[in-house]
Amino acid sequence: MADEPLVLGIETSCDETGVGIVRGHTLLADALASSVAEHARFGGVVPEVASRAHLEAIVPTMRRALDTAGVTLADIDAIAVTAGPGLAGALLVGVAAAKGYAIATDKPVYGVNHLAAHVAVDTLEHGPLPEPAIALLVSGGHSSLLLVDDLTAGVTPLGATIDDAAGEAFDKVARLLGLPFPGGPPIDRSARDGDPTGIAFPRGLTAPKDLAAHRFDFSFSGLKTAVARWVEARQRAGEPVPVADVAASFQEAVCDVLTAKAIDACRTRGVQTLVIGGGVAANSRLRAMAEQRCARYGIQVRVPRPKLCTDNGAMVAALGSHLVAAGVPASRLDLPADSALPLTTVSV
Ligand code: KG4
Ligand code: ZN
């Protein structure tokens, strides 16, 4: 609807420079520039390289988003920007840009939480999020289960990884298997030709003794080590490593734990909606398994299309639009970039 606010979102927390534009829940533009190719040979994101790339990409990406949406900066009602968590130098580029545009156009600026934005983006595809909902947030830096009562006010953390994030496990296992960075997409592809039941990899924090203290927490470092040991044993024996089977069995172990704990959280809290967000939510097996298992319990699963799961500007605009609609006050113009912004702070 034309009377809904036009909100622009800027994302620069990691290696993607994103500018998204939404009107209400309608996505008008989602421009992206990635520095991922520059990090690939290091096997992980190099913060200084990411910051420099954001600096070079921010203005062209902004122009592309405005052109695609067919609007000008003067038409924008509010600017949202990822204030954290993320890489400090990378966040600073987006926050400084948002402040500059806000001052130049005399528009309000909202500094928002990157993780809450991964939840909010689903509204662009499936409309308003029924609350309460359980959110499973799985990215390169985070793996959390959250209770979402009111996304504009905050979220309640139920559990999180105690070591590696799910995406980090995909990236590390891919490296072990000689697959490129980031590891999620190549493992997802390779696993399609493999046997998910071929190798019995461990399911972290699912034994009864662990569940008492860590019912909704995750652990993926034991799984990563188990994969490394298995691969090393094959190599020592001079046997070829069946990459597709390892990928499929590893992926199965991750998805099994993520979906089992998410469903347990829904059932324990009497919640009927599960929303999955973050880069790992793009995983085809996770999406299929969540659908299948949730159907058994009458839980509705909401997962945005893969392009909206990985980092982008549209997710920031979606959360900004939600905050504007709820009448949440804008941030101060001296809002900080906070690399360790807690999950419980949705806007600063
Ligand atoms: O949310 P995101 O784009 O950036 C962070 O905020 O971290 O997530 C990136 C992570 C990477 O670890 C990447 O390997 C993983 O998401 N990822 C996937 C898939 N696509 C991206 N993991 C599994 N399967 C995928 N298809
Ligand atoms: Zn992210």
Side-chain angles (χ1 to χ4, degrees), residues 11 13 114-115 118 139-140 278-279 309-311 315:
E11 156 62 32
S13 70
H114 178 82
L115 301 168
H118 269 306
S139 71
C309 291
T310 46
D311 290 349
M315 65 193 232

Side-chain angles (χ1 to χ4, degrees), residues 9-347:
I10 300 176
E11 156 62 32
T12 64
S13 70
C14 192
D15 57 347
E16 316 282 350
T17 312
V19 178
I21 300 175
V22 305
R23 190 182 287 287
H25 295 306
T26 307
L27 179 60
L28 303 181
D30 184 16
L32 202 66
S34 180
S35 62
V36 70
E38 294 173 54
H39 308 288
R41 70 193 167 99
F42 301 104
V45 175
V46 183
E48 281 309 314
V49 173
S51 306
R52 170 66 54 182
H54 286 309
L55 215 45
E56 286 166 4
I58 189 77
V59 172
T61 310
M62 177 68 116
R63 288 213 182 102
R64 245 182 330 120
L66 291 167
D67 283 353
T68 306
V71 299
T72 66
L73 260 181
D75 299 325
I76 301 288
D77 295 308
I79 296 169
V81 60
T82 299
L87 302 170
L91 288 167
L92 271 177
V93 178
V95 169
K99 288 177 183 176
Y101 286 119
I103 292 168
T105 57
D106 199 21
K107 297 294 157 67
V109 63
Y110 288 79
V112 306
N113 189 307
H114 178 82
L115 301 168
H118 269 306
V119 177
V121 71
D122 184 68
T123 58
L124 299 180
E125 195 152 348
H126 299 117
L129 181 70
E131 288 168 335
I134 294 288
L136 171 64
L137 251 181
V138 273
S139 71
H142 293 83
S143 301
S144 302
L145 271 172
L146 316 167
L147 176 66
V148 184
D149 270 323
D150 174 0
L151 190 54
T152 61
V155 295
T156 309
L158 301 178
T161 181
I162 61 167
D163 40 55
D164 292 350
E168 198 179 345
F170 271 93
D171 296 339
K172 289 177 175 171
V173 166
R175 198 177 178 149
L176 278 171
L177 294 175
L179 298 172
F181 174 85
I187 288 192
D188 196 342
R189 276 193 299 274
S190 174
R192 286 181 201 152
D193 305 319
D195 177 2
T197 59
I199 310 160
F201 286 131
R203 271 63 171 160
L205 300 184
T206 55
K209 67 171 174 27
D210 294 325
L211 284 177
H214 292 292
R215 183 160 179 178
F216 300 124
D217 291 328
F218 302 106
S219 166
F220 297 109
S221 89
L223 170 61
K224 170 197 67 191
T225 308
V227 175
R229 296 282 166 275
W230 196 93
V231 169
E232 280 160 21
R234 290 291 287 226
Q235 286 166 336
R236 257 200 317 274
E239 291 168 22
V241 176
V243 171
D245 289 342
V246 177
S249 297
F250 158 77
Q251 179 174 272
E252 196 71 5
V254 174
C255 297
D256 184 15
V257 176
L258 290 176
T259 53
K261 294 208 176 207
I263 289 171
D264 186 22
C266 289
R267 298 187 70 208
T268 311
R269 295 287 176 148
V271 171
Q272 264 132 28
T273 307
L274 171 65
V275 55
I276 312 183
V280 181
N283 185 268
S284 61
R285 181 63 183 137
L286 179 62
R287 301 167 77 93
M289 197 189 274
E291 280 291 345
Q292 226 170 39
R293 290 186 171 179
C294 285
R296 275 186 232 149
Y297 300 102
I299 298 165
Q300 192 212 358
V301 187
R302 297 175 41 132
V303 200
R305 58 181 176 271
K307 190 169 178 273
L308 293 179
C309 291
T310 46
D311 290 349
N312 60 76
M315 65 193 232
V316 180
L319 179 53
S321 169
H322 198 50
L323 295 170
V324 171
V328 173
S331 305
R332 290 166 39 139
L333 264 178
D334 62 353
L335 76 112
D338 181 352
S339 61
L341 188 67
L343 251 176
T344 43
T345 305
V346 170
S347 59

